[in-house]
Amino acid sequence: MNLSSRARHLLRDAGQALRRTPSVEKRRSKVVNEVVAWCQAHDIELGPRLTHARLQLDPDLLARIDETLVALGEPAIAADLSGLTTAEQAHLGNREEKGVREKPRDRRVLASFPAAAAQRPGLVSCPRDFLDLDWRDLDLDAFDVLVQVENLDGFYAFASTTAALADDARPLVLYRGDRHYGGAFARVAEAWAESARPHFYLGDFDAKGVSIALASRATHLLLPPREDLAERANAAHLPPEQQGYQPALRDHAARLPIGHPLADYLAILLREQRGLRQQWFGDSLQGVPLGESGL
């Protein structure tokens, strides 16, 4: 019989409270009864601490529970397994808490870099390398601009030589992520925003895509010239289920100053109800400011 995460949480909270008071009383409940049953199963005498209505916890009882846990190879009461990797949990005992652990991809991003100079034996030479990285291993100061790519096929096909990035010799190209990749992209975007450097979003030109770009604090959209996009945009590329994103976009459009480059693009979305998926953009892309200043 193992203590559940809820039972361990109750005991951990009690241990913190006992720093300020000699004892803590807990009313009988499902989780308290679990602690009682666990103590009885491991011959920990509760005596007068236990009544029909409550369980009294004190330092001596918690110390005896801790001793038993350690003898069983379980983490001590004070050990919080939440947010730890499985390997980190393993250092604390035999218990694995998958429900509260850090998922293997929580810190991972998928990045695209120019291919390494030395060709790897057994691999065909390609112009770019795609690396699954812990985002904390990235030196963000080494890059001039962040490029966030929404679609995975577009990410693999993206060439950082696009004219929109010609002045930026060191772009950091990252896949925005899905349930398999990019668990940490939001952390990168947050850290990047503090530097006030350009953050380009390359994704579907539809209500959801533009909303994602704004939410991720991107500074620019990467889009075809307005005339090209207007020619190719169509109603089929603006799904009706995205209607819920449009009110916020209309509010954003209303705040744009006269002559803002984004205004004409948003008119295609919001007035004409047409969009364009990233795969139809073509190779000619330019940076369209998202901010209300137009910079």
Side-chain angles (χ1 to χ4, degrees):
M1 177 184 182
N2 293 325
L3 284 173
S4 68
S5 297
R6 290 183 61 205
R8 291 180 60 86
H9 185 73
L10 178 143
L11 293 171
R12 188 163 56 251
D13 283 352
Q16 294 173 353
L18 287 172
R19 299 172 186 172
R20 304 182 298 273
T21 184
S23 65
V24 175
E25 287 193 355
K26 296 291 184 180
R27 292 183 179 180
R28 296 291 289 267
S29 63
K30 184 177 180 180
V31 66
V32 170
N33 287 340
E34 179 190 340
V35 172
V36 170
W38 186 89
C39 289
Q40 293 171 341
H42 293 90
D43 299 321
I44 297 176
E45 182 61 43
L46 297 176
R49 298 184 182 95
L50 180 65
T51 69
H52 178 73
R54 49 91 179 149
L55 172 65
Q56 181 175 301
L57 300 167
D58 55 46
D60 181 60
L61 175 58
L62 262 62
R64 292 168 68 186
I65 293 174
D66 247 348
E67 291 173 4
T68 304
L69 287 170
V70 172
L72 293 170
E74 292 277 307
I77 293 171
D80 186 358
L81 304 182
S82 299
L84 302 181
T85 65
T86 300
E88 290 168 339
Q89 290 182 356
H91 287 300
L92 300 175
N94 297 329
R95 187 184 189 90
E96 180 185 12
E97 288 282 4
K98 290 186 177 181
V100 299
R101 73 176 181 181
E102 180 186 84
K103 295 180 177 60
R105 291 194 179 276
D106 279 353
R107 301 176 184 174
R108 312 302 292 186
V109 290
L110 190 62
S112 171
F113 295 105
Q119 184 176 346
R120 294 178 175 86
L123 292 180
V124 175
S125 179
C126 296
R128 299 192 69 80
D129 289 334
F130 304 101
L131 304 179
D132 183 326
L133 303 169
D134 186 320
W135 80 275
R136 298 169 301 176
D137 293 334
L138 288 168
D139 178 9
L140 298 183
D141 292 335
F143 303 97
D144 302 309
V145 59
L146 173 63
V147 181
Q148 171 187 1
V149 186
E150 176 184 357
N151 298 299
L152 188 57
D153 54 355
F155 168 78
Y156 287 128
F158 180 74
S160 61
T161 55
T162 180
L165 305 178
D167 295 331
D168 300 294
R170 300 173 297 172
L172 173 59
V173 182
L174 298 180
Y175 175 44
R176 180 177 69 87
D178 52 26
R179 63 189 182 91
H180 295 298
Y181 286 107
F185 179 82
R187 302 184 197 180
V188 176
E190 183 178 357
W192 188 270
E194 296 177 1
S195 71
R197 284 170 289 171
H199 171 176
F200 288 85
Y201 178 89
L202 175 59
D204 296 340
F205 181 67
D206 56 21
K208 182 177 181 181
V210 178
S211 297
I212 290 172
L214 289 167
S216 63
R217 302 173 71 177
T219 60
H220 295 74
L221 297 174
L222 276 177
L223 293 172
R226 200 268 181 192
E227 295 76 13
D228 294 346
L229 189 143
E231 182 179 346
R232 302 172 194 164
N234 60 89
H237 286 196
L238 185 60
E241 59 267 23
Q242 294 188 10
Q243 286 291 326
Y245 292 95
Q246 295 201 22
L249 289 183
R250 294 183 189 280
D251 290 342
H252 185 77
R255 293 192 296 268
L256 297 176
I258 296 174
H260 191 291
L262 182 63
D264 287 341
Y265 283 92
L266 288 182
I268 298 172
L269 271 182
L270 302 175
R271 188 168 63 238
E272 301 176 18
Q273 292 294 302
R274 296 187 296 135
L276 190 66
R277 297 194 184 105
Q278 178 189 336
Q279 294 86 344
W280 276 258
F281 282 5
D283 296 327
S284 179
L285 300 175
Q286 60 186 32
V288 180
L290 275 166
E292 295 175 20
S293 67
L295 300 177

